[in-house]
């Protein structure tokens, strides 16, 4: 490592400027929307139009989700996870559910596992579509936004079909799914997956060889693999530097080891490579989702929650017939379940990178502590490293290419 | 070339100045580009291809508060963000309106804790509340139509109508 | 790579600093003294055989009523061996301090600032330990167990008159 990597704070940039010790200018970008990516404030130190240093100031969306979760029972806290990374609520649900399931050691039925994979892959596509639309919008390519949201609406329609909500589905519960998939789920998904590859071609037609796009992205915001790992960069941003690390392959969860897919990687670690990697990831997601849909078809109907009545409530029908079920139902909704003492950490590959969830149980029905390793939050640290010496205009492209979601940054 | 071509044989149209001004205000209302959290994604959805907010002359989001006359507070307002929201509101030129989009902006939503302001009406006066977490794009469009109707009722001389508060009995907007 | 190999390697180097070892649900976690925490992280990162170069997660937990009260948890991942180790270190009031991992892993910077902000744990050797999520003039550390949630009374039809009379509605 040549130069030590530093992550400055806003104060460290502002103070020398106020005291007049520097020749450079300090400029405030935000907190009201520096680009289309939410309430982020950037303190820039500029020499003319060149960024000398910068420090992100986050926390404008701090929601206290981790504290609030401590006051809810395990099952009720699922709702809060949706609102963290609001472009990929299902990934958050999955990560939290997996962590609590690890504490409880419950088995998830096959059908629920496959549905989880299928829906999180759809979620990945929809999240990448928002990234693509807003990234292009930031670089003044308006039409891509309209194309991307066209397909996103189709995915949201699928989510609405299964859960009744477009975005905040809270569909993955501890022990399985909230309820069974509807009958017309598979045809709708298959129809969507059939058209999606050609739609991705359309986006690529608009951007991949577009000279304006290339001009703004190739060779901009470069980071090498070593610095990326040191700074904790994950997800497509890390893979664009050539490191093929994907939790779905490295430490598989939910049965990802049984699906065949590739990890797209880049070479140069610039904005263009991140774009290529994410586009390729969408294609891989379609592939995984197709395999999952096939398996669901083969498997046929079956249970979608664990048979362990101490964790998941019995079906409604049973409650009217059996006293024991009634008691279980009552206990679960009034008190909740009590995982054994201990802590568990689980990480998954969310659309933004490695999303981790650390849950500590003290044996009571409420989590003692829940911590989320938020990929956007940690990815944001590398912004200064990448932006140094570039123009302010490149910075907007850079923020978009990191794909931070401020709800997750601040939690 | 001009309005007489479109209007055909209409001849002379008489109306009040008030109606014309209000009509102008409703049909070219420029919202401030102001997404805070998850609701902002649905706001984007409302502006995108499927819901197409530009049908109502509202697609032109302004990034600068000086050029905007509608603030759609889309998302939760944290204690750190609240002063910024007020400042942006103060920077907007008169006349200006505010829509509180989503449960969080209306009343704090599911986040009843130390970090979130329990309703943006503690920070800026709100004209229309849109419920939902997040509200569907249709709900947002409905809220905007409701605001348009409210603007149409405004008097040119008098003050603005009092905001529709949560604590008032529901006003049926006709 | 499995838990036993890593544990044996840790025992060889920082064996005297290890306070407790636990394997829960297949995950290895090692509780160390502050000095051992830093040494173990450095060893795990620099040993060419192990190569735990990636600090995946760092956070703090407040175990109110236990001694020591606070615990900092760091998850180190070896990208090569696809294995994760959890290092824990305790610290206590009145001045909870643990050594900072930022000089070893730049990615710890934000995570340690977040832990400081929300739990009030100090990290010795951190280059710029300031609040990150909350405003600079905020008093208290909300994730501590003795900090209230800070919720307000919810308005329903039966109590809304009383609540709205107090609520500071904004003016033009
Ligand atoms: S109302 Fe719901 S969707 Fe909207 S900002 Fe709040 S939590 Fe997010």
């Amino acid at each position: 490592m040549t130069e030590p990597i530093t992550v400055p704070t806003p104060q460290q940039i502002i103070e020398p400027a106020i005291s007049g010790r520097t020749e450079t200018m300090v400029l405030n970008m935000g907190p009201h929307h520096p680009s289309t990516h939410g309430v982020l404030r950037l303190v820039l130190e500029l020499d003319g139009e060149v960024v000398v240093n910068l420090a992100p100031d986050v926390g404008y969306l701090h929601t206290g989700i981790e504290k609030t979760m401590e006051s809810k029972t395990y099952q009720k806290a699922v709702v809060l996870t949706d609102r963290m990374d609001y472009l990929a609520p299902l990934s958050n649900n999955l990560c939290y559910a997996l962590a609590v399931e690890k504490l409880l050691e419950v088995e998830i039925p096959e059908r629920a596992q496959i549905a989880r994979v299928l829906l999180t892959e759809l979620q990945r596509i929809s999240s990448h579509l928002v990234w693509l639309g807003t990234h292009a919008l930031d670089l003044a390519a308006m039409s891509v936004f309209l194309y991307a949201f066209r397909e996103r609406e189709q995915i949201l329609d699928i989510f609405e079909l299964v859960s009744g909500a477009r975005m905040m589905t809270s569909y993955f519960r501890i022990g399985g799914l909230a309820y069974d998939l509807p009958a017309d789920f598979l045809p709708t998904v298959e129809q969507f997956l059939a058209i999606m590859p050609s739609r991705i071609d359309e986006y690529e037609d608009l951007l991949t060889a577009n000279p304006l796009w290339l001009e703004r992205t190739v060779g901009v915001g470069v980071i090498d693999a070593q610095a990326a790992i040191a700074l904790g960069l994950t997800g497509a941003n890390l893979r664009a530097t050539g490191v093929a690390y994907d939790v779905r392959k490295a430490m598989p969860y939910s049965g990802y080891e049984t699906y065949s897919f590739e990890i797209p990687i880049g070479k140069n670690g610039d904005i263009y490579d991140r774009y290529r990697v994410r586009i390729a990831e969408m294609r891989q997601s379609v592939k995984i989702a197709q395999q999952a849909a096939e398996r669901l078809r083969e498997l046929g109907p079956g249970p979608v929650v664990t048979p362990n009545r101490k964790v998941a409530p019995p079906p409604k029908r049973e409650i009217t017939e059996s006293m024991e079920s009634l008691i279980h139902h009552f206990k679960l909704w009034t008190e909740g379940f009590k995982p054994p003492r201990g802590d568990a950490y689980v990480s998954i590959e969310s659309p933004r990178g490695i999303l981790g969830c650390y849950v500590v149980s003290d044996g009571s029905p409420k989590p003692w502590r829940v911590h989320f390793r938020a990929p956007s939050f940690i990815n944001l640290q590398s912004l200064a490293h990448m932006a140094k010496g570039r123009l302010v205009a490149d910075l907007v492209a850079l923020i978009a290419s990191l794909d931070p979601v401020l709800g997750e940054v601040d939690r | 070339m001009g309005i007489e071509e479109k209007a055909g044989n209409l001849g002379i149209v008489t109306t009040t100045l008030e109606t014309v001004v209000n009509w102008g205000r409703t049909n070219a209302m420029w919202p401030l580009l102001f997404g805070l959290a998850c609701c902002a994604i649905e706001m984007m959805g409302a502006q995108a291809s499927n819901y197409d907010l530009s049908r109502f002359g509202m697609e032109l989001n302004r990034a600068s508060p000086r050029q905007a006359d509608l603030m759609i507070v889309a998302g939760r307002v944290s204690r750190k963000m609240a002063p910024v929201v007020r400042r942006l509101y103060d920077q907007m030129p008169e006349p200006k309106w505010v829509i509180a989009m989503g449960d969080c902006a209306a009343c704090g939503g599911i986040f009843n804790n130390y970090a979130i302001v329990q309703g943006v009406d503690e920070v800026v006066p709100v004209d229309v509340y849109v419920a939902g977490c997040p509200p569907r794009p249709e709900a947002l469009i409905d809220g905007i139509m409701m605001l348009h109707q409210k603007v149409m009722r405004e008097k040119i001389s008098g003050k603005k109508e009092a905001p529709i508060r949560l604590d008032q009995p529901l006003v049926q907007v006709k | 790579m499995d838990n036993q190999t890593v544990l044996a390697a840790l025992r060889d180097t920082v064996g005297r600093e290890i306070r407790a070892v636990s394997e829960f649900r297949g995950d290895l976690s090692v509780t160390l003294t502050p000095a051992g925490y830093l040494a173990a992280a450095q060893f795990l990162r620099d040993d060419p055989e192990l190569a735990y170069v990636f600090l995946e997660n760092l956070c703090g937990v407040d175990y109110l009523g236990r001694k020591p009260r606070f615990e900092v948890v760091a998850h180190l991942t070896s990208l090569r061996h696809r294995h994760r180790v959890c290092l824990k270190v305790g610290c206590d009031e009145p001045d909870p301090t643990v050594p900072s991992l930022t000089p070893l892993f730049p990615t710890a910077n934000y995570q340690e600032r977040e832990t400081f902000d929300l739990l009030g744990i100090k990290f010795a050797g951190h280059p710029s330990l300031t609040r990150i999520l909350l405003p600079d003039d905020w008093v208290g550390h909300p994730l501590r167990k003795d900090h209230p949630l800070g919720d307000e009374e919810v308005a329903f039809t039966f109590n809304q008159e009383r609540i709205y009379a107090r609520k500071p509605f904004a003016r033009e």
Side-chain angles (χ1 to χ4, degrees), chain A residues 131-146:
Chain A
W131 155 79
L132 182 69
T134 52
H135 190 8
L137 203 60
D138 281 345
L139 295 184
M142 175 86 190
S143 43
V144 185
F145 172 75
L146 299 173

Side-chain angles (χ1 to χ4, degrees), chain A residues 88-106:
Chain A
L90 284 171
S91 302
N92 297 348
N93 288 171
L94 180 64
C95 185
Y96 174 69
L98 285 175
V100 180
E101 280 159 10
K102 189 170 176 182
L103 273 178
L104 287 163
E105 281 195 309
V106 285

Side-chain angles (χ1 to χ4, degrees), chain A residues 83 168, chain B residues 37-39 75-76 102-104 111 132-134:
Chain A
R83 274 90 184 160
M168 305 302 172
Chain B
C38 354
C39 283
R76 42 193 188 250
D103 291 351
C104 288
F111 303 110
C133 183

